Amino acid sequence: MLRDPRRIAVAFAAIGAFLHLYAPQAVLPMMANEFGVGAADASLIITAGTLAVAATAPFAGAMSDVLGRKRIIVIAMALLLIPTTMAALAPTLQQLIFWRFVHGLLLPPIFAVTIAYIGDEWPPGESNGVFGIYASASAIGGFLGRFITGMLMESAGWRGGFLVLAGCTAVCLAMVFFLLPQERQFVRASNFAASGRQMLAHLRNPRLLATYAVGFGVLFNFIATFTYLSFHLAAPPFNRSPGFLGAIFVVYLLGSVAALWLGRAINWLGRRTFVLCVLGVWACGLLITLLPSVIAIVAGLAICSTCGILTQASSTSFVAITAKSGTSAAVGLYVTSFYVGGTFGGYLPALAYEAAGWPASLSLILGMIAVQAAIVVAAWKN
């Protein structure tokens, strides 16, 4: 990896994109207490960002199909410094939600376009490995965002943690600007209308539609699991601290390591068989979290995070490889479906949690995994 600056740049783009998006999860119970709201209202701090991502991802993809890849990525990362800083300074819940929404608007031009860049610039035999690096770095970014805010909660508050993450974003921007070369294999769409036609063509592709549905379920499961297990662990009888809630996201690093072998695993088992196995293990990991033991819950989270990262990496690489033209638009549609799933995963399980606690939220997640498995069996081919 170190011999290819492009791969390093891809990793920093992924880290920079995911540092902030889920950072509130580790401290969401404390943020809810500060603003005097319940779990459902506090979940808007996260879902505002995911909803914004879902709304803009296809248009970011279409824009990059016309304007190019690196230019869009760098501009978006530079603009990202504004909402990441303003969110830390927001005095009210409404203003915080607003800046989180603005933050979400700027993310698709980073990660959706980076995925398209990989699909364009590496041959199919190598791209699965690069997608593994991207997925691994995304997991590291997601972990760092939660870990830093959780660890700094007692000494600097969540606002101080957010400001530290803004500084980390600036570092990622510099690395991408200097290390990511201008795209060479990119085939520019003639205009936005042509890119729009390519997008409509993707919506008529059954295999892509099935993959978009799988992506919907991935983030639904992720957001629901980590958000409401945080509430579960913060409540009696566990009563865990913000620092502990931030530290448990170290389990993300297991998934980031596993993703580096994604290409080999898919080549060995075939994509459909591999993902079905991963979904089965994911369901088992969720059931472990029902045990009344912090150690068991953390072990279950480790399994869930690893399976989610592997499923996500498999799906995004499949989209980039399947789309023969308008790759960025195809990835943008996937990202939209993915974050619509995250929006529902942030809110619907909140209602279940408030009604009957973590077991009720878990039942929704298991149902989603069953739907994903059925889609993979019906629509994917090895």
Side-chain angles (χ1 to χ4, degrees):
M1 175 180 171
L2 295 177
R3 296 180 180 178
D4 188 349
R6 296 181 303 168
R7 299 186 182 214
I8 299 174
V10 163
F12 274 98
I15 291 171
F18 288 97
L19 271 172
H20 273 269
L21 187 57
Y22 307 119
Q25 277 185 320
V27 294
L28 199 61
M30 298 75 203
M31 297 174 80
N33 288 335
E34 177 180 330
F35 291 113
V37 296
D41 289 333
S43 71
L44 294 175
I45 297 171
I46 294 176
T47 57
T50 58
L51 183 62
V53 171
T56 58
F59 306 104
M63 184 182 302
S64 77
D65 282 339
V66 175
L67 300 178
R69 309 296 194 213
K70 180 179 179 179
R71 179 188 305 173
I72 295 294
I73 295 170
V74 170
I75 291 174
M77 291 190 77
L79 292 176
L80 195 61
L81 295 172
I82 298 172
T84 55
T85 302
M86 295 304 297
L89 304 176
T92 67
L93 177 62
Q94 291 73 23
Q95 291 184 36
L96 174 59
I97 291 172
F98 170 78
W99 286 114
R100 293 280 300 168
F101 184 83
V102 174
H103 178 271
L105 295 177
L106 294 170
L107 293 182
I110 302 171
F111 50 70
V113 179
T114 300
I115 293 170
Y117 183 99
I118 296 170
D120 290 341
E121 300 300 311
W122 277 272
E126 296 181 28
S127 61
N128 280 327
V130 182
F131 282 119
I133 292 172
Y134 172 85
S136 177
S138 299
I140 291 172
F143 159 70
L144 289 174
R146 297 163 168 101
F147 180 76
I148 290 172
T149 53
M151 289 295 102
L152 293 179
M153 180 66 193
E154 293 184 5
S155 61
W158 62 267
R159 298 177 189 275
F162 276 22
L163 289 174
V164 170
L165 293 181
C168 294
T169 301
V171 173
C172 292
L173 167 63
M175 296 297 289
V176 172
F177 179 80
F178 288 111
L179 295 180
L180 189 69
Q182 199 71 28
E183 57 271 17
R184 298 175 182 175
Q185 307 300 324
F186 170 62
V187 178
R188 189 184 308 274
S190 57
N191 51 52
F192 288 107
S195 182
R197 288 192 294 271
Q198 291 172 338
M199 191 182 303
L200 292 176
H202 298 322
L203 293 174
R204 293 191 293 268
N205 186 323
R207 189 174 296 181
L208 285 176
L209 289 176
T211 310
Y212 297 157
V214 172
F216 177 99
V218 170
L219 196 58
F220 180 99
N221 299 339
F222 245 120
I223 295 294
T225 299
F226 280 90
T227 299
Y228 299 104
L229 266 180
S230 292
F231 276 97
H232 183 55
L233 288 170
F238 304 111
N239 298 312
R240 294 297 166 166
S241 67
F244 178 86
L245 296 179
I248 62 173
F249 289 99
V250 72
V251 299
Y252 263 56
L253 300 182
L254 298 176
S256 69
V257 173
L260 296 175
W261 279 271
L262 177 70
R264 295 180 184 179
I266 290 176
N267 291 336
W268 178 44
L269 293 174
R271 194 180 302 270
R272 180 172 64 175
T273 302
F274 173 71
V275 171
L276 287 174
C277 291
V278 169
L279 290 173
V281 175
W282 196 345
C284 293
L286 283 166
L287 292 174
I288 291 174
T289 66
L290 289 173
L291 297 174
S293 162
V294 172
I295 294 175
I297 291 172
V298 172
L301 277 174
I303 294 171
C304 292
S305 65
T306 300
C307 292
I309 289 166
L310 291 175
T311 305
Q312 166 68 352
S314 302
S315 299
T316 52
S317 63
F318 192 45
V319 171
I321 293 170
T322 301
K324 303 304 181 183
S325 61
T327 308
S328 191
V331 173
L333 288 169
Y334 176 86
V335 171
T336 290
S337 180
F338 184 71
Y339 282 97
V340 169
T343 301
F344 280 95
Y347 189 72
L348 292 181
L351 302 179
Y353 182 86
E354 290 182 345
W358 168 240
S361 298
L362 182 144
S363 65
L364 290 179
I365 305 169
L366 288 175
M368 181 60 70
I369 288 178
V371 171
Q372 289 174 283
I375 291 171
V376 171
V377 169
W380 282 23
K381 293 181 180 180
N382 283 330

